[in-house]
Amino acid sequence: MIISNIMSELGDQLDTIPGLRVKDYDADEIQVPAGLITLPMDIDYRGSFRGMRQLNLTVIVLVQSDTDRVRKDLITPYADDEGSKSVIATLERGNYTSFDSISVHRGRFRFYVFNQIKYLGIGFDSEITVTGKAT
């Protein structure tokens, strides 16, 4: 399991969403709408089955924090479970070589601050499964 490869592949897949500016790392500077792949929060090196690894990370999408009505219309398409901007549909349909599967468990809306600028975002808690064969 090569964590950097996993993050890069997730970033490449997320980058297929039209108009989203994706960085496959915890970025210091962003341009919205932005997609970020965070470092794993938790790594289980001894999964349920021999040779299985699991890691949990958050995929974040950020939009500008304009008026409430505008930001609602900007962020909600990313939270939908279908459509061209759906993060869950995009990530879960990808073909990956560095891991076996991804399962997006939940999304949470919140405000994020980058360089003293407030953005509205949604963080998608995702579980990655890697067996011994993935590289």
Side-chain angles (χ1 to χ4, degrees):
M1 169 177 73
I2 308 296
I3 293 170
S4 179
N5 292 353
I6 293 169
M7 293 172 68
S8 293
E9 277 197 89
L10 289 172
D12 290 345
Q13 183 65 25
L14 193 63
D15 200 33
T16 65
I17 295 177
L20 194 62
R21 297 173 181 100
V22 177
K23 295 190 177 185
D24 59 4
Y25 50 89
D26 292 306
D28 291 329
E29 294 186 26
I30 60 165
Q31 290 182 308
V32 292
L36 306 171
I37 310 298
T38 67
L39 288 165
M41 299 173 289
D42 184 54
I43 304 170
D44 181 357
Y45 293 102
R46 305 281 182 229
S48 307
F49 301 100
R50 186 174 200 94
M52 177 188 275
R53 312 282 194 255
Q54 290 181 319
L55 54 98
N56 297 304
L57 54 76
T58 303
V59 175
I60 300 172
V61 173
L62 302 167
V63 298
Q64 63 192 26
S65 181
D66 278 344
T67 63
D68 51 1
R69 187 171 297 164
V70 169
R71 66 181 175 233
K72 174 195 71 103
D73 292 340
L74 292 173
I75 196 69
T76 54
Y78 298 106
D80 293 342
D81 63 357
E82 59 185 45
S84 64
K85 291 187 176 184
S86 169
V87 170
I88 187 171
T90 299
L91 291 176
E92 290 187 348
R93 75 169 171 253
N95 292 316
Y96 303 105
T97 59
S98 62
F99 61 95
D100 297 291
S101 66
I102 179 172
S103 178
V104 180
H105 290 279
R106 67 183 44 86
R108 291 185 181 99
F109 292 106
R110 63 173 272 217
F111 289 98
Y112 294 82
V113 177
F114 284 86
N115 292 327
Q116 300 178 350
I117 301 171
K118 184 170 91 171
Y119 299 97
L120 178 60
I122 182 169
F124 296 92
D125 294 338
S126 306
E127 182 178 86
I128 310 295
T129 302
V130 182
T131 60
K133 65 180 179 175
T135 59

